Amino acid sequence: MERPLIVALDFPSKKEVKNFLRFFSDESLFVKVGMELFYQEGPSIIDYLKEQNHRVFLDLKLHDIPNTVKSAMKGLARLGCDLVNVHAAGGRAMMEGALEGLEAGTSFGKKRPYCIAVTQLTSTGEEQMKQEQLIPVSLEQSVLHYAKLANDSGLDGVVCSTYESQLIHSKLSNSFLTVSPGIRLAVEAAQDQKRVATPKLARESGVSAIVVGRSITRAENPLENYLFIKKEWEGAI
Ligand code: C5P
């Protein structure tokens, strides 16, 4: 996967997605579909995006018993998703099951979708993790532990902040994908994200892919912001 800029389609329905994509008539994008949109529109939204020539990260963060995740992943691979994810907390057998399902749902001769793991949600603080999950180590150690578990289970990478990417790459291989949300331009406010980074810092930190939502979707001119962020991410400015 060549260091893509992934645009988070955090919209309630296809209507808003269509309106947004009107700005990008000539661009083939890598988009992220989350629970909000998928639970309303179902698999047809993936068909629609693929027909428009966009690559799709289906961000459903699966977490269930291994057999259920395996069967669900078989179906997601059939939809033609390019990237999917699970919670590493589901364990090794569940992550291995996810990969088996993806392989089973991929047509002969094609490459299965990439599969990455969520370690600790970025909304989880260290105190909360200690009190609610009874994990007695630091948040960073927990993130690294889950990243290693995902790597040992054969997954392709993890979702993590720009600040964790370097640490993960130093302990695992550089080819293990780090996919980072929480990206903001230097002039913007962080909004509800706690640890934000600019596209430039993400690039310099070796992040494999950035996920950008509101900086593009809420912009007055989404195409202009997209192209600006892309340039910065690719090191052209
Ligand atoms: O608008 P913004 O750029 O903050 O959007 C970031 C996107 O990445 C959202 O879709 C959000 O749900 C997602 N995400 C995140 N933190 C994670 C995992 C996913 O912000 N740990």
Side-chain angles (χ1 to χ4, degrees), residues 30-189:
F30 201 136
V31 295
K32 182 172 87 68
V33 172
M35 298 180 199
E36 182 189 10
L37 182 60
F38 191 76
Y39 291 157
Q40 286 308 306
E41 299 293 344
S44 70
I45 191 72
I46 310 297
D47 293 339
Y48 169 74
L49 293 166
K50 297 300 294 183
E51 277 161 21
Q52 309 290 310
N53 218 14
H54 301 306
R55 282 181 291 166
V56 177
F57 169 17
L58 186 55
D59 178 20
L60 296 181
K61 302 183 181 70
L62 274 65
H63 188 175
D64 210 314
I65 60 169
N67 193 51
T68 299
V69 169
K70 180 178 167 179
S71 312
M73 284 298 189
K74 192 172 169 184
L76 297 190
R78 285 201 183 118
L79 292 183
C81 300
D82 299 275
L83 172 63
V84 295
N85 60 359
V86 295
H87 269 283
R92 187 178 180 129
M94 186 204 76
M95 289 192 269
E96 288 173 350
L99 292 181
E100 282 170 31
L102 290 173
E103 293 284 0
T106 302
S107 325
F108 182 74
K110 288 211 171 171
K111 221 179 149 308
R112 68 155 172 81
Y114 287 99
C115 185
I116 59 176
V118 173
T119 55
Q120 288 287 352
L121 289 169
T122 41
S123 52
T124 303
E126 187 161 305
E127 268 320 297
Q128 182 194 353
M129 177 190 80
K130 286 183 170 161
Q131 284 174 17
E132 296 179 7
Q133 301 179 35
L134 281 185
I135 294 177
V137 299
S138 71
L139 192 65
E140 194 178 87
Q141 281 173 294
S142 174
V143 167
L144 192 58
H145 168 72
Y146 277 140
K148 282 182 180 155
L149 184 66
N151 186 47
D152 291 346
S153 308
L155 260 65
D156 303 300
V158 286
V159 182
C160 67
S161 81
T162 292
Y163 302 92
E164 291 149 359
S165 176
Q166 256 171 347
L167 174 72
I168 290 169
H169 279 150
S170 72
K171 304 282 180 192
L172 303 168
S173 86
N174 269 335
S175 60
F176 189 67
L177 305 174
T178 54
V179 177
S180 300
I183 303 295
R184 293 289 179 274
L185 289 167
V187 294
E188 289 180 308

